[in-house]
Amino acid sequence: MFSLPSTLTQVQAQACLQQLQADMAQLPTGAPAQVDASALVVFDSSALAVLLGGRRAALAAGRPLQLSGMSAPLLSLARLYGVDGLLQPPAAH
């Protein structure tokens, strides 16, 4: 599981995305890419760019992306940008 740092702004975004992609490359074929956002406290829209970049990388590798620990403020920002549907897990039935 890849854990996002407590701070993820434009300053950290490129390195964070590169680490996420490197960690995904080490996963067994077909294994889900799990990202934990629960430590994320200080962030800007760059955090969404990292999560969307991770999603693109996971899809390109044919693996699901599982996000957990998304705070209400992070979900609110995702809604503001219209990408919340891409980042939220499917609703349980």
Side-chain angles (χ1 to χ4, degrees):
M1 176 176 292
F2 181 80
S3 295
L4 294 179
S6 61
T7 299
L8 181 50
T9 63
Q10 183 181 8
V11 174
Q12 299 87 9
Q14 185 64 31
C16 187
L17 180 57
Q18 288 173 345
Q19 186 62 55
L20 174 58
Q21 291 169 332
D23 287 359
M24 268 192 231
Q26 300 300 314
L27 292 172
T29 303
Q34 298 176 325
V35 178
D36 179 13
S38 61
L40 194 57
V41 178
V42 177
F43 59 90
D44 61 16
S45 61
S46 299
L48 295 178
V50 168
L51 292 172
L52 292 170
R55 181 179 183 274
R56 278 191 300 276
L59 291 174
R63 66 178 79 244
L65 179 68
Q66 298 174 344
L67 298 173
S68 63
M70 290 185 64
S71 67
L74 182 58
L75 284 171
S76 179
L77 185 63
R79 255 189 305 283
L80 178 68
Y81 279 87
V83 298
D84 53 314
L86 298 173
L87 298 175
Q88 290 186 29
H93 296 288

